[in-house]
């Protein structure tokens, strides 16, 4: 799962804008944003670069950390 849609909303950007920046169709980007499809690592890197975020910010963590003393 990814957070592309969330990051776009935080930045006030549109899916059409992202599609143009990464050279993908609006439909492909919409599928990424709705988690119906996942971008490859290469595309995820491109998205992170365009959005100026760490690639890890685009991903939903699969690990919950606890503070065990």
């Amino acid at each position: 799962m990814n957070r592309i849609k969330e990051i776009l909303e935080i930045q006030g950007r549109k899916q059409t804008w992202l599609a143009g920046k990464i050279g993908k169709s609006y439909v492909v980007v919409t599928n990424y944003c709705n988690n119906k499809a996942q971008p490859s690592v290469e595309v995820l890197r491109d998205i992170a670069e365009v959005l100026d975020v760490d690639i890890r910010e685009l991903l939903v963590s699969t690990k919950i950390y606890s503070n065990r003393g």
Side-chain angles (χ1 to χ4, degrees):
M1 301 235 336
N2 70 66
R3 299 179 57 233
I4 297 169
K5 184 175 185 177
E6 183 181 343
I7 301 297
L8 284 171
E9 289 173 358
I10 289 168
Q11 293 188 359
R13 302 194 186 271
K14 303 287 184 188
Q15 294 174 23
T16 50
W17 173 85
L18 180 59
K21 290 290 189 181
I22 64 170
K24 300 286 183 188
S25 73
Y26 172 77
V27 172
V28 168
V29 171
T30 297
N31 285 335
Y32 293 161
C33 289
N34 293 326
N35 282 296
K36 291 183 178 177
Q38 297 301 318
S40 67
V41 173
E42 292 81 13
V43 173
L44 200 61
R45 185 189 67 236
D46 292 343
I47 292 169
E49 185 175 316
V50 166
L51 295 177
D52 193 30
V53 297
D54 188 288
I55 194 169
R56 294 171 289 186
E57 290 184 51
L58 298 175
L59 301 173
V60 175
S61 179
T62 59
K63 182 83 173 173
I64 298 174
Y65 296 96
S66 64
N67 263 344
R68 293 189 185 177

